């Protein structure tokens, strides 16, 4: 059986940064499931689907093909054959992904793709429902979190570093709204799996978090 690591938690907890580093150190494949939900959301935006209409989203998602390939060790997400990596990190897509990912048909489609990837390789997979739904038998499960204020500040600093404008209080509100949607949706809400280890990164550096998780994996 494969050795898989599941990392779940809210937006801005540092999941993807940490998961990438763990995967590199352990020679495993990093799977960013949020990128798949983002690609699906981009499709819905392009098709001008009403994001508040689950039935319309469900019908549209039938025709979408999302796949993952690795180029130079980097995960690339393909939407109907087009590499959309550079198009899915905008606030518009973040908001849309939070809405489209509540739709059961979207989740069914992407969860089966994620499970298929995990049968092929040892993976470090991050998302919201990896430990609870996608890989319930993962060898290690981590629930990575941080306070809302810290997550908002990290996002704000990231945008500033990219030369984009942003308001800290608006970012914090968006994070709260997104957490609320992710945690209260009916299908696979974000929650800590019973057997997941909680790591609060509020007061930790990236290297400290990586060290901590590596030590947990060693046990
Ligand atoms: O981790 P992220 O910000 O890239 O995720 C984008 C959106 O997709 C977020 O609102 C939550 C959703 N998502 C999900 O519902 N399940 C996952 N396994 C990963 C992401």
């Amino acid at each position: 059986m494969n050795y898989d690591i599941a990392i779940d938690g809210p937006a801005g907890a540092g999941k993807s940064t940490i998961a990438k580093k763990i995967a590199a150190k352990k020679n495993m494949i990093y799977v960013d499931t949020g990128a798949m939900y983002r690609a699906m959301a981009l499709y819905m935006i392009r098709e001008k689907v009403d994001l508040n209409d689950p039935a319309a989203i469900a019908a549209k998602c039938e025709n979408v093909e999302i796949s993952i390939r690795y180029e130079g060790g980097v995960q690339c997400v393909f939407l109907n054959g087009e590499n959309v990596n550079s198009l899915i990190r905008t606030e518009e897509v973040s908001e849309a992904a939070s809405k489209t990912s509540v739709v059961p048909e979207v989740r069914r489609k992407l969860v089966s793709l994620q499970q298929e990837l995990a049968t092929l390789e040892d993976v470090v997979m991050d998302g919201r429902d990896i430990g609870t739904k996608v890989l319930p038998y993962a060898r290690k499960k981590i629930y990575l979190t941080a306070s809302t204020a810290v997550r908002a500040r990290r996002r704000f600093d990231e945008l500033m570093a990219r030369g984009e404008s942003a308001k800290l209080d608006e970012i914090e509100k968006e994070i709260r709204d997104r957490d609320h949607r992710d945690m209260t949706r009916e299908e696979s809400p974000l929650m800590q799996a019973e057997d997941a280890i909680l790591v609060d990164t509020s007061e930790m550096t990236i290297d400290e978090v990586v060290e901590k998780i590596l030590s947990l994996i060693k046990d």
Side-chain angles (χ1 to χ4, degrees):
M1 200 163 126
N2 284 3
Y3 189 108
D4 296 322
I5 300 172
I7 302 185
D8 290 300
K15 294 186 303 293
S16 61
T17 308
I18 303 298
K20 250 183 245 169
K21 285 182 181 277
I22 303 281
K25 288 218 180 226
K26 302 303 277 183
N27 219 1
M28 296 166 78
I29 298 286
Y30 167 55
V31 182
D32 171 1
T33 62
M36 300 178 193
Y37 287 95
R38 287 169 179 274
M40 183 66 90
L42 177 63
Y43 177 77
M44 299 298 164
I45 293 170
R46 284 177 170 176
E47 293 291 308
K48 303 199 178 359
V49 175
D50 178 357
L51 299 177
N52 296 309
D53 182 351
I57 293 170
K60 269 284 177 197
C61 91
E62 295 288 312
N63 315 319
V64 191
E65 198 192 286
I66 290 181
S67 59
I68 295 284
R69 258 180 267 153
Y70 290 84
E71 294 177 2
V74 175
Q75 172 183 297
C76 298
V77 187
F78 288 81
L79 170 59
N80 293 329
E82 173 192 356
N83 182 343
V84 293
N85 262 23
S86 63
L87 305 175
I88 56 174
R89 300 287 157 198
T90 63
E91 280 305 305
E92 186 191 15
V93 173
S94 297
E95 272 300 296
S98 165
K99 290 180 179 164
T100 55
S101 63
V102 305
V103 178
E105 286 78 1
V106 168
R107 303 203 70 83
R108 260 200 293 282
K109 190 161 181 147
L110 297 181
V111 166
S112 65
L113 172 62
Q114 292 153 13
Q115 288 173 331
E116 198 183 307
L117 284 168
T119 62
L120 304 174
E121 308 273 357
D122 287 349
V123 297
V124 181
M125 189 176 284
D126 79 351
R128 304 295 189 286
D129 58 343
I130 311 306
T132 51
K133 171 94 192 217
V134 181
L135 305 176
Y137 302 112
R139 289 281 279 279
K140 279 286 172 201
K141 298 182 186 177
I142 311 288
Y143 190 84
L144 210 62
T145 190
S147 69
T148 315
V150 167
R151 290 186 285 129
R153 164 59 67 178
R154 287 177 185 163
R155 181 75 189 134
F156 178 79
D157 291 345
E158 208 178 282
L159 291 169
M160 289 296 116
R162 274 200 248 148
E164 292 179 33
S165 65
K167 290 202 178 114
L168 188 58
D169 56 341
E170 279 175 14
I171 293 179
E172 191 161 339
K173 182 180 178 310
E174 275 163 20
I175 285 184
R176 276 185 210 284
D177 290 350
R178 212 171 301 159
D179 282 356
H180 181 74
R181 263 201 298 269
D182 290 348
M183 289 173 177
T184 58
R185 69 179 176 223
E186 232 162 80
E187 181 99 359
S188 308
L190 166 64
M191 61 174 164
Q192 184 179 345
E194 262 176 35
D195 49 351
I197 300 161
L198 177 75
V199 178
D200 186 331
T201 70
S202 302
E203 306 286 335
M204 294 168 85
T205 64
I206 290 170
D207 286 345
E208 285 169 347
V209 180
V210 171
E211 280 312 309
K212 163 105 190 155
I213 294 179
L214 287 175
S215 74
L216 292 171
I217 294 169
K218 225 187 298 170
D219 291 345

